[in-house]
Amino acid sequence: MLVAAGGLGILLAYWTLLFAMQRNLLFPGGTGAPGFIRPHDAEQVWLETSTGRVEAWYLPPLAAAPHAGRNPLLVYTHGNGELIDFWPAAFTEPRRWGLGVLLVEFPGYGRSQGRASQASIRETMLAAFEWVRGRSDLDPERIVAHGRSLGGGAACLLAASRPVRALILESTFTSVRSFAGKFGAPSFLVRDPFDNLDVVRRFAGPLLVLHGERDEVIPAEHGRLLAAAGRNAELAFLPCGHNDCDMDWSRVHSFLAKARILL
């Protein structure tokens, strides 16, 4: 009895520690970005939230909208160990198609205030959507939410709450709860579940799921399950792991054209 009680006490202490520390694991903050500077054509945007200002960078299209219309927008959210500083050059191609790109930071990352959590990230994404609605040069009816890894959770939070036209999930998980067993913990201890699978089931718009077939962080099965749950989903496995994937822009272009994002 004493041994069993002692073992239970150790387990409860471990679970308590894990509950307290899990946000440090899920949101480690972006690593330093020496040599990265904001491009001269990127507009610095400050999104006001209840816990402080969160930074975003708006990259305008490199091609004019047809017939002097309003431009579609791709809202991009990165992985949990990254910063928006890393990503401007990666989105040159869609900007050539006439898309604007909004790189949204996580609270507490880089120069942004606050602390990252599911709630604070959701608030940030909603503030980003309101910023778009206030722009005369952007079309709020042609917004694409695009997230990589943890950023896929942020993109799903936006898609669950606002009318985005299409959703792109890159190297994204079904739910943080699916990893609880890896840490020897019950799923109810997860504070920030990011239930992407539930969002995808309810999302009526076009969905593109991109996933590395050799992903060592978020197994490819997560991508398969997300695509299977979507009502209007495409799935593409890429010949890569988690952090070494080159974007398949031809697939993205085809997807956006079918979704009538590109007119």
Side-chain angles (χ1 to χ4, degrees):
M1 288 289 291
L2 289 176
V3 173
L8 179 59
I10 291 172
L11 181 60
L12 291 176
Y14 168 69
W15 285 354
T16 300
L17 178 64
L18 188 62
F19 183 81
M21 297 297 295
Q22 62 182 267
R23 282 182 173 156
N24 296 81
L25 298 173
L26 187 58
F27 309 112
T31 56
F36 287 84
I37 58 173
R38 178 160 47 93
H40 67 89
D41 62 345
E43 177 184 345
Q44 187 179 40
V45 176
W46 290 105
L47 305 171
E48 299 293 337
T49 75
S50 62
T51 57
R53 300 196 310 166
V54 179
E55 188 178 20
W57 287 357
Y58 173 60
L59 309 172
L62 297 176
H67 313 299
R70 303 171 85 183
N71 294 292
L73 180 72
L74 189 150
V75 179
Y76 180 77
T77 40
H78 55 65
N80 70 337
E82 301 165 349
L83 295 170
I84 58 173
D85 306 51
F86 303 168
W87 289 102
F91 287 91
T92 301
E93 187 65 19
R95 294 175 67 195
R96 290 182 179 133
W97 308 335
L99 269 80
V101 177
L102 185 67
L103 306 176
V104 182
E105 194 57 274
F106 295 142
Y109 277 57
R111 296 158 293 274
S112 296
Q113 298 173 333
R115 295 189 66 181
S117 69
Q118 179 169 322
S120 69
I121 290 173
R122 178 181 182 276
E123 186 180 358
T124 299
M125 300 306 291
L126 298 187
F129 189 88
E130 291 307 310
W131 177 85
V132 175
R133 294 210 310 179
R135 298 278 300 211
S136 61
D137 57 334
L138 296 175
D139 186 350
E141 296 185 358
R142 287 191 292 154
I143 295 176
V144 182
H146 177 182
R148 189 188 96 79
S149 193
L150 178 64
C156 282
L157 291 174
L158 179 59
S161 301
R162 295 294 184 269
V164 302
R165 175 72 71 85
L167 179 61
I168 300 175
L169 299 180
E170 180 187 350
S171 306
T172 297
F173 48 82
T174 55
S175 170
V176 174
R177 290 193 179 101
S178 67
F179 297 99
K182 179 180 177 181
F183 294 91
S187 61
F188 65 78
L189 288 180
V190 175
R191 303 173 69 181
D192 303 284
F194 289 97
D195 194 345
N196 300 327
L197 193 61
D198 180 65
V199 173
V200 164
R201 288 190 182 113
R202 294 182 287 111
F203 182 67
L207 166 67
L208 175 62
V209 177
L210 303 169
H211 213 105
E213 58 190 4
R214 300 188 301 273
D215 196 320
E216 70 286 0
V217 177
I218 301 173
E221 181 64 14
H222 286 254
R224 185 177 289 107
L225 290 171
L226 288 168
R231 304 183 195 180
N232 182 16
E234 298 180 21
L235 171 63
F237 284 118
L238 307 176
C240 55
H242 189 71
N243 292 313
D244 61 344
C245 290
D246 293 326
M247 177 55 66
D248 186 350
W249 285 121
S250 62
R251 170 66 75 110
V252 173
H253 187 281
S254 175
F255 170 75
L256 296 179
K258 285 188 291 184
R260 297 190 57 79
I261 302 295
L262 304 175
L263 301 180

